Amino acid sequence: MKATPRLEGKVVAVTGGANGIGRETARLLASLGAKVAIGDRDGEAARRAARELEGAVLGVDLDVTSAASFAAYLAAVEAEWGAVDILVNNAGVMWVGPFDAEPDAAAERQLAVNLMGVMRGVKLAAPAMVARGSGHIITIASASSILTTPGEASYSASKHGVLGYLKAVREELRLSPVQVSVIMPAVVDTELAAGTGTGAAKLLQPSDIAQAVLRTIAKPRFEVTIPGYMGPLARLINVLPRPLREFIMRTLVPNQVSQADLRAREVYEAQFGTRS
């Protein structure tokens, strides 16, 4: 039997929550009684999502690239419902294409949102959780945290950075009651992944990731891969000789330089000024 955590009255902050994984996570947790604050760069989309979802849901403007904006978001949540029990770092952006064709602005944006955004959230939320004696920080990273994906060089760098950062933070917090988790899914059917290949793994849905968040709340683990076999497989492959390791990785992991449909990504990437 799957464990369902008691979420009634728990205060949950979800970044990048207006669409995709964030919205589905907010919907699921709110349906189980949590008070969920959706933070999003598109504040109106966040408020619209809050109106459309059932339960206690709040929509708030949030730019994770700004420490002041992130602090104001958490302050708004606390003013409305009290201290944040669970922070879900979900906001992310991705540029796809050959590494030498990537505009500097695209690389800088990915690092600012995907890596620095997570770091800001952890720095702002964790100390209060430690002082209070409870809390859980869950970050939605990517299989790119542990795999090599051609065509997503800067995105992979940002997600490798997230995993490395959280490993260090978790060690610093090991004697505290605060839980730190990182969820690393394969390709998910969202705007971010529009036009990309999935490799050997099946295309995931936002609901798959939301369910993983729920399971992680119920039974905290640090590293969670989706599909579950991906983590153990990556560790196994890494002990093989390099030629064999690289052959297997090329078989399993999509090469987005050759497989991605860049036309299908134009609308998404134009939102962030990441397609030259």
Side-chain angles (χ1 to χ4, degrees), residues 96-97 148-153 156 253-258:
V96 174
T148 302
T149 310
E152 298 176 4
S156 294
V253 180
N255 184 325
Q256 305 296 7
V257 174
S258 59

Side-chain angles (χ1 to χ4, degrees), residues 246-267:
E246 292 180 346
F247 172 78
I248 294 174
M249 293 294 279
R250 289 181 187 122
T251 302
L252 298 177
V253 180
N255 184 325
Q256 305 296 7
V257 174
S258 59
Q259 295 182 28
D261 179 357
L262 298 185
R263 286 185 176 274
R265 297 191 54 75
E266 287 178 351
V267 172

Side-chain angles (χ1 to χ4, degrees), residues 9 36 74 86 110 237:
V36 183
L74 294 176
I86 302 166
Q110 289 169 95
I237 291 173

Side-chain angles (χ1 to χ4, degrees), residues 47-142:
R47 288 181 282 276
R48 182 167 59 250
R51 292 192 298 268
E52 294 171 353
L53 298 178
E54 295 183 3
V57 186
L58 177 70
V60 184
D61 289 88
L62 168 62
D63 179 358
V64 299
T65 68
S66 163
S69 177
F70 215 136
Y73 163 64
L74 294 176
V77 178
E78 186 164 353
E80 183 77 17
W81 287 322
V84 173
D85 297 297
I86 302 166
L87 170 63
V88 181
N89 282 315
N90 169 72
V93 295
M94 181 170 72
W95 187 93
V96 174
F99 74 90
D100 55 351
E102 180 184 44
D104 286 348
E108 290 164 3
R109 177 90 181 133
Q110 289 169 95
L111 292 171
V113 174
N114 302 352
L115 177 55
M116 291 301 298
V118 168
M119 293 169 67
R120 287 187 185 91
V122 172
K123 287 181 178 180
L124 289 167
M129 291 178 174
V130 170
R132 196 169 62 249
S134 66
H136 196 166
I137 297 175
I138 300 172
T139 297
I140 310 301
S142 167

